[in-house]
Amino acid sequence: ERIDAKGQLIAPGLIDMHVHLREPGFEHKETIATGTRSAARGGFTTIACMPNTRPVIDTPETVRYILDKAETEGVVRVLPYGCITDNQLGRELTDFEALKDAGVFAFTDDGVGVQSAQMMKDAMAKAAELGMPIVAHCEDNTLVVGAPVNEGAFSRKHGLKGIPNESEAIHVGRDILLAEATGVHYHVCHVSTEQSVRLIRQAKQLGIKVTAEVCPHHLLLSDEDIPGLDANWKMNPPLRSPRDVQACIKGIEDGTIDIVVTDHAPHSEEEKAKGMQAAPFGIVGFETAFPLLYTHFVLKGKWTLQFLLDRMTVKPAEVFGLSWGTLQEGAAADLTLIDLDTEKEVNPAEFLSKGRNTPFTGWKLKGWPTRTIVAGQVVWSEA
Ligand code: NCD
Ligand code: ZN
Ligand code: ZN
Ligand code: ZN
């Protein structure tokens, strides 16, 4: 096939190391088929899926189920995370060797985040032994019970319980110390607070093996932007204060935070309609991530295009030691073609994800992917 790429950017395929595909168990929210198509429409060619499915990704059978579905029904590369504890319960470690052999590339507690220090330390020691990273969703659960939004101006105005900054930073600090003790590579999930950025910066200066990720929404929105009690603005971690947003931006700019991820977390319209207090946490991310950051950082002259692409392609591959697709010599390419000129509004009705839960509806953006190529095959095309 001949592709007319006139006037388009040809980029390495985007990589998203933190996504929720919902299958098995929550197919009404998303499936591997719809999730990978949504990823492809967003320009992603490799995505890493979180284990908070049902069953949880805690056995070789479930790992194989996902890899098999991804192969037969998916359109992009899918890397499954293994859950660190049995059924996400925080009681018993999973069989790390068996999960590794079945094909997980890293271990995580995302979607749970309730591990005791001993459990986390054991998990880190085990992962270190296998030379694999631990990716932790950081939150002290005792501080967040029943709180749907950040503790701050918005929570006070609406009389809602707030999630305090320290619920995240306490865990980041703890897990940095445990990483230092065990020698594991600890990757911090979705950093959202000034204090977490500070702790990660210090840890890196000390030579501790820590890396970190941030989501577009935590770089672009604060709790002051939440228009009302609309659950499309509810996610974990929550939108923080403008000061935290600035700290996260500084963090990615100075290299404290290594990569951008979406934390794509689709939910059904009915679930999100339950309101700010009762609706589940999470927003979709694939189909807006690149245009959001291109428009608001590159076009505003804050970042170079190279910087943004690095954080969404080369860096994630480096952080996780990925070596395939465009990054492997001689392999067929993973590429994304992007139209940098045409302005378009975010329209959730066009999403290929089953999830429409985004706070970015109506945003006018440039930088829309037009074609996504995985291993030399066009898997999504705009027309
Ligand atoms: C995650 C999800 O929906 O799976 N939601 C989110 O807001 N990130 C779960 C979670 O980490 O809370
Ligand atoms: Zn999380
Ligand atoms: Zn944690
Ligand atoms: Zn997540």
Side-chain angles (χ1 to χ4, degrees), residues 101-116:
D101 289 346
V104 309
F105 79 102
F107 291 91
T108 187
D109 69 344
D110 190 64
V112 217
V114 288
Q115 317 308 334
S116 71

Side-chain angles (χ1 to χ4, degrees), residues 177-286:
L177 293 170
L178 295 175
E180 185 179 17
T182 56
V184 78
H185 167 199
Y186 162 44
H187 179 78
V188 189
C189 275
H190 42 47
V191 171
S192 74
T193 73
E194 184 183 16
Q195 294 88 333
S196 307
V197 174
R198 191 174 73 207
L199 289 167
I200 296 162
R201 188 175 288 126
Q202 280 174 354
K204 285 192 166 184
Q205 280 162 2
L206 293 169
I208 299 168
K209 255 188 270 167
V210 54
T211 55
E213 63 186 35
V214 67
C215 305
H217 45 277
H218 291 125
L219 297 171
L220 288 166
L221 298 172
S222 76
D223 60 354
E224 293 186 4
D225 299 312
I226 309 177
L229 296 171
D230 179 343
N232 285 331
W233 300 72
K234 177 179 182 179
M235 75 292 284
N236 230 334
L239 298 175
R240 303 285 190 180
S241 71
R243 196 185 156 111
D244 292 306
V245 174
Q246 287 315 309
C248 289
I249 293 172
K250 175 91 192 335
I252 192 152
E253 288 178 349
D254 74 7
T256 301
I257 299 173
D258 303 82
I259 63 171
V260 171
V261 301
T262 68
D263 196 8
H264 179 80
H267 295 291
S268 72
E269 245 163 281
E270 298 70 47
E271 289 163 324
K272 277 302 200 180
K274 289 178 184 161
M276 196 58 113
Q277 185 66 51
F281 290 90
I283 60 169
V284 290
F286 287 140

Side-chain angles (χ1 to χ4, degrees), residues 66-78:
I66 288 166
L67 289 173
D68 182 58
K69 277 262 166 174
E71 184 69 34
T72 53
E73 294 171 24
V75 298
V76 304
R77 299 174 200 269
V78 175

Side-chain angles (χ1 to χ4, degrees), residues 148-164:
V149 295
N150 184 46
E151 183 179 274
F154 185 87
S155 68
R156 283 191 293 273
K157 180 173 166 204
H158 294 275
L160 296 166
K161 198 174 170 223
I163 301 174

